[in-house]
Amino acid sequence: MKEKNSSSRNVKRWNSSSALRNEDPDIDDDTVFKRTAVSSFLPMLPIQPPQTCEATDEELQEETGKNKMTWINDFLEREQMKERFAKLLLGEDMSGGGKGVSSAVALSNAVTNLSASAFGEQRRLEPMPEDRKERWRREMGWLLSVTDHIVEFSPTQQTNKDGSSIEVMTTRQRADLVSNIPALKKLDVMLTDCLDKFKDQDEFYYVTTDSPESLNRNDDKWWLPTVKVPPKGLSETSKRFLLSQKECVSQVLKSAMSINAEVLSQMEIPESYIDSLPKNGKASLGDMIYRMITLDMFDVERFLLEMDLSSEHKILDLKDKIEASVVIWKRKIVQKDNNKSSSPFSTNLSMEKRQLLEERAETILLLIKLRFPGISQSRLDISKIQFNKDIGLAIMESYSRVLESLAHTVLSRIEDVLVADQLTQDPESLFCKRYIVKETESPKKEEERNFCLLEERPVKQKAIISLSEVMQWDMEDKNDAPLKDSGKKLLTRVSTMIMAANNKKSTSYLESLGTTRSPAASQYS
């Protein structure tokens, strides 16, 4: 059997080379072997059509161009990262003299500047450009990478080979960073996704400020492009979409405000700020505000109605005064607990009264922040950020602050569209709104406002009627003195009865807090 196979192989080998030997009898054996060996592998190779030299050159040029652009982008990204971290290491002092700010302040400024360059003013409801979005995510990732190396020691149990266990200290990321940084990243993604959803909308559009349609504009947002909606208003689908996005952005705003307030409360109050405070809360607030806040029948909303909040400057001034008084009262309580006799602050108030005033002041600050989320930072907040040394707190505060600002801006742009839709259906509401704003924001007030304890403040100053005219006293007639005395006694008794009735109906401050209404929401909320 083996011989048969052997002979068959020889025959096949002779048959494969016989054609070459018949064509060229003088061919050598090496050439025959090479040609037969190559021919045995040729059927296994794929047959490709011939390609021209021009197509190959174009592909090579295109591939070379892509590789060159990728290399340039990578090079620019590396150089940009080097520049960013060089500024952080130098503390923004490019001279290298060591006079720069701390690392915490440098990181906080870097996040703020990056947000300003990436988002801008966000004047329209439209998606962010892809290059700016990519830059924001890339550079924010660089700055947040610092938090991965901020750790704390925690005890853990380690088991040995013999079965015994010992307690060792290991490092882990700080607890506040573990809870807040992922939450802030989620809020960031929610905001950018919300803007991306306005990509395909076509029911409303914007008109620039220099167009003829915007020349007769007379409102408080004259620098923004004017929103235009169809003559019949937005469709129900678009309204539901806007309301859903408004609710989503409102949740982001509340979450960012909560994180920012929590982080600011953890920062230490600088000594320079404490040294600039007056000796007591009354001197910080002023006589009128102090008299209003110390009333037995104190109402937070009534207090804010009495205050002049017509401009951001006045709101910040009120906030600075109340925050200063809170710091003074808290330090008095701490010094009282530590039994420190020497204190730069006077301690005329009792402990219970001071705690009550502190609680009222913090409630006022909370309502101010809820009603005016877009106002600038107070003097206390600026001092905390400026003198803060904790890098983790600096990153969380700046990140939450820029997200809060962006959420407030997007929320305002959504409300502008809803207001424009409302005006197409009810044009008279525009006149009513301007009239209300004119009466409330620009009232003619006296320089000194007397606070009325028992009655509502009158809108207009009425003619003053003397007590003598009401009781029909004749001050020049001395014979009517007994009648005048009896009238005074009667008036005193009536006033006493009114005060007693009001005291019976009054509730405590804690009970009034439970029924305090939230700030008035708009009709679309």
Side-chain angles (χ1 to χ4, degrees), residues 37-304:
V38 171
S39 63
S40 63
F41 290 100
L42 283 176
M44 300 176 60
L45 298 176
I47 301 175
Q48 297 180 354
Q51 297 181 356
T52 61
C53 297
E54 296 179 357
T56 304
D57 294 341
E58 291 178 358
E59 291 181 357
L60 289 176
Q61 291 178 0
E62 183 179 357
E63 184 177 358
T64 304
K66 290 181 179 179
N67 294 334
K68 186 177 181 180
M69 290 300 299
T70 303
W71 183 85
I72 292 176
N73 292 334
D74 294 341
F75 175 77
L76 293 177
E77 183 177 338
R78 287 194 301 269
E79 292 299 320
Q80 195 175 21
M81 183 174 61
K82 291 178 183 178
E83 181 183 358
R84 291 287 185 273
F85 281 96
K87 289 182 178 180
L88 294 178
L89 292 174
L90 293 173
E92 300 178 355
D93 180 17
M94 306 310 293
S95 65
K99 299 179 182 180
V101 297
S102 63
S103 300
V105 178
L107 277 169
S108 178
N109 294 340
V111 174
T112 305
N113 296 334
L114 175 61
S115 171
S117 60
F119 296 110
E121 295 185 5
Q122 199 65 37
R123 297 187 175 187
R124 304 168 185 260
L125 285 177
E126 58 185 7
M128 290 179 59
E130 290 298 328
D131 55 343
R132 286 165 53 187
K133 185 191 299 184
E134 182 63 26
R135 179 193 174 195
W136 163 256
R137 291 177 177 175
R138 181 179 65 251
E139 297 190 18
M140 198 65 206
W142 296 346
L143 299 176
L144 292 178
S145 63
V146 179
T147 60
D148 298 334
H149 305 279
I150 301 177
V151 297
E152 61 183 1
F153 287 101
S154 62
T156 57
Q157 295 293 331
Q158 181 178 354
T159 304
N160 298 328
K161 295 181 179 180
D162 57 356
S164 62
S165 61
I166 58 176
E167 187 179 85
V168 296
M169 301 297 292
T170 58
T171 58
R172 64 179 182 183
Q173 192 178 14
R174 216 166 68 182
D176 56 346
L177 298 175
V178 171
S179 60
N180 289 329
I181 294 297
L184 291 172
K185 289 181 179 179
K186 181 65 176 178
L187 297 178
D188 189 356
V189 173
M190 291 175 63
L191 276 179
T192 54
D193 290 347
C194 175
L195 291 175
D196 291 339
K197 292 179 181 179
F198 289 95
K199 180 179 180 180
D200 299 329
Q201 73 81 25
D202 55 356
E203 290 202 20
F204 64 89
Y205 60 96
Y206 292 90
V207 178
T208 58
T209 55
D210 55 352
S211 64
E213 299 180 13
S214 301
L215 294 179
N216 296 328
R217 187 175 178 180
N218 185 17
D219 55 12
D220 55 347
K221 298 180 180 180
W222 54 268
W223 68 92
L224 296 175
T226 306
V227 183
K228 293 295 182 180
V229 298
K232 297 182 179 180
L234 299 173
S235 62
E236 293 298 328
T237 304
S238 297
K239 289 181 181 179
R240 286 194 296 268
F241 169 72
L242 287 173
L243 292 176
S244 63
Q245 296 306 310
K246 179 181 178 181
E247 180 65 24
C248 177
V249 177
S250 298
Q251 295 299 325
V252 173
L253 177 60
K254 292 178 182 178
S255 301
M257 289 173 59
S258 176
I259 295 176
N260 186 262
E262 178 185 358
V263 174
L264 284 173
S265 64
Q266 296 176 6
M267 292 183 180
E268 296 182 358
I269 302 176
E271 291 296 331
S272 59
Y273 177 83
I274 296 175
D275 296 339
S276 64
L277 296 178
K279 293 185 177 180
N280 51 54
K282 183 177 181 180
S284 174
L285 295 174
D287 293 337
M288 186 190 71
I289 299 178
Y290 184 80
R291 186 165 64 250
M292 294 171 64
I293 204 173
T294 54
L295 289 175
D296 293 336
M297 297 182 298
F298 176 74
D299 186 3
V300 182
E301 293 188 352
R302 173 68 182 277
F303 174 83
L304 292 180

